[in-house]
Amino acid sequence: MRIAINGMGRIGRLLFRRLMDQSEHQLIAVNDIMETDNLAYLLKYDSLYGTLQESVVAEGNNLICGSKKVVALKEANAENLPWKALDIDIVLECSGRYTSKEGAEVHLKAGAKKVLLSTTGSSEIPLMIYGYNHHQLTKDTPIVAPGGCMTNCTTHVLYILNAIGIESAQINILHSYTSRQQLVDTWHKQFRRGRAAAESIIPVEIDLHVSLERLMPVLKDKVMATSTRVPVTNGAMADFSIQLKEAVSAADINARFKKAAVNEYKGILDYTEDPLVSADIKGNRNSCLIDGTLTSVVGKQVKIIAWFDNEYGFTSRMLDWLDYWKKVMN
């Protein structure tokens, strides 16, 4: 698979790093408007995941990482990207600018065969969560929205618990601060997002429930979610308060997740009874890690806590998508 990345923010750069270790997929090109030497620096040195062992240098219009060479483009308009000339199989759209069907199709018009978003995308694009409904992918599917880190965490938890029956679900995602927040107080249309990210616990508006209802129509008008940004640089904790149709024990709930972790959800969902904190989740490949020590039940109301690395876990699913798409295309 010949891969290109459009947008070299947090997700794009982490995908670059991880693709350098793969032989079954070849990263051919990246595109971002930042200076190539600055991009090389940010790929080499990362405040969360440490320094790459391989050297990363900018040489003309290329990035040299160890023995591998990647074309480095600086095109502001995706319509002008040379995907056809570079024979690109899949573009990983990580810029956040081309998330509508019309926008993502720009990459197809530029010559790419397929497009994988790094977010949920608009309603016209198939929303497929790896491990849940990825089997719906066909050779003829040109664009896929794989959800985001929060969707990938919550979908699996809700699906497993809906085997018992869900009356209602409230989800609060305690999430590390992101680049869409501010270092110091400033203007933002969502007032709270304009406050200094490292100084406060900040509730922010999210539309996670819309995605969950798309994926599981049975939950329509039964689920709501919010996100609370906290002053840490990495990691997230999903706090589920779920009213079930039947009374169950905490031991029964945990047994269901333990079973899923070693069977159909292995590598996607995991289970632990270690006394974790958010720092322990850095670099975890799973979409969610159920913390069995924090499962509790009052009557039919269940409290579930799931940890996830919002960057590493999500890029792990994007890499899973590349492997699966390769099989489907062949």
Side-chain angles (χ1 to χ4, degrees):
M1 296 278 280
R2 294 173 64 84
I3 309 300
I5 303 174
N6 186 50
M8 296 299 287
R10 292 297 306 162
I11 296 301
R13 296 199 301 273
L14 186 53
L15 284 167
F16 180 104
R17 281 175 155 229
R18 301 189 67 182
L19 284 167
M20 288 298 100
D21 295 329
Q22 296 207 348
S23 57
E24 60 270 32
H25 306 299
Q26 184 180 4
L27 181 59
I28 302 298
V30 299
N31 182 54
D32 197 283
I33 60 173
M34 82 169 82
E35 295 298 327
T36 307
D37 57 349
N38 195 170
L39 177 55
Y41 170 78
L42 291 174
L43 288 167
K44 174 71 175 178
Y45 300 102
D46 189 282
S47 298
L48 295 181
Y49 299 108
T51 303
L52 273 183
Q53 292 184 352
E54 299 85 357
S55 63
V56 184
V57 296
E59 291 188 2
N61 295 325
N62 297 301
L63 288 164
I64 310 300
C65 182
S67 61
K68 296 183 179 181
K69 181 170 72 173
V70 178
V71 177
L73 304 164
K74 292 173 58 182
E75 179 56 60
N77 188 343
E79 293 180 2
N80 300 326
L81 288 166
W83 299 152
K84 184 175 181 179
L86 293 172
D87 191 26
I88 298 300
D89 292 311
I90 295 181
V91 172
L92 306 180
E93 170 46 53
C94 301
S95 72
R97 294 183 58 196
Y98 300 94
T99 58
S100 67
K101 183 174 183 291
E102 181 181 7
E105 284 177 343
V106 169
H107 291 297
L108 302 177
K109 293 175 182 177
K113 299 177 182 69
K114 308 289 183 182
V115 181
L116 178 65
L117 302 185
S118 63
T119 186
T120 299
S122 61
S123 59
E124 312 91 32
I125 299 175
L127 177 58
M128 300 184 193
I129 304 301
Y130 194 87
Y132 173 69
N133 64 340
H134 67 278
H135 58 276
Q136 295 176 359
L137 182 73
T138 69
K139 285 186 177 181
D140 299 325
T141 306
I143 307 168
V144 166
C149 60
M150 292 185 286
T151 318
N152 277 267
C153 171
T154 55
T155 297
H156 307 305
V157 174
L158 293 175
Y159 179 72
I160 289 170
L161 291 181
N162 198 50
I164 303 170
I166 294 175
E167 293 283 3
S168 64
Q170 289 275 0
I171 309 166
N172 182 19
I173 311 289
L174 286 84
H175 197 292
S176 53
Y177 58 76
T178 72
S179 61
R180 289 192 293 172
Q181 293 174 257
Q182 305 297 327
L183 285 177
V184 296
D185 290 356
T186 188
W187 174 90
H188 198 288
K189 62 181 179 180
Q190 293 183 24
F191 291 0
R192 289 189 177 108
R193 280 187 185 262
R195 302 299 300 278
E199 293 296 327
S200 292
I201 297 171
I202 303 176
V204 300
E205 300 171 17
I206 57 172
D207 59 358
L208 176 60
H209 70 285
V210 176
S211 298
L212 293 171
E213 289 179 353
R214 281 180 63 189
L215 291 162
M216 288 178 275
V218 68
L219 295 182
K220 185 170 177 58
D221 299 325
K222 294 182 178 180
V223 61
M224 189 53 67
T226 188
S227 179
T228 305
R229 301 298 164 87
V230 294
V232 298
T233 56
N234 178 255
M237 188 186 87
D239 182 339
F240 299 81
S241 295
I242 300 175
Q243 188 75 17
L244 297 174
K245 293 182 178 180
E246 301 176 12
V248 293
S249 67
D252 179 47
I253 294 292
N254 283 345
R256 291 171 185 264
F257 287 115
K258 281 184 187 178
K259 181 179 179 181
V262 297
N263 290 292
E264 68 270 27
Y265 283 104
K266 186 175 182 179
I268 299 171
L269 176 150
D270 205 356
Y271 176 89
T272 186
E273 293 185 358
D274 292 339
L276 301 182
V277 296
S278 63
D280 302 322
I281 203 68
K282 184 167 67 174
N284 191 287
R285 296 171 181 265
N286 293 280
S287 294
C288 56
L289 175 61
I290 303 298
D291 192 327
T293 67
L294 299 175
T295 302
S296 61
V297 176
V298 177
K300 297 180 182 179
Q301 187 178 67
V302 176
K303 172 76 73 175
I304 302 290
I305 299 296
W307 300 98
F308 61 100
D309 182 325
N310 46 292
E311 295 180 358
Y312 211 88
F314 180 66
T315 54
S316 295
R317 297 294 77 75
M318 292 187 72
L319 296 177
D320 286 343
W321 268 112
L322 292 181
D323 293 339
Y324 187 71
W325 217 330
K326 182 180 180 180
K327 294 177 183 178
V328 171
M329 289 172 70
N330 292 336

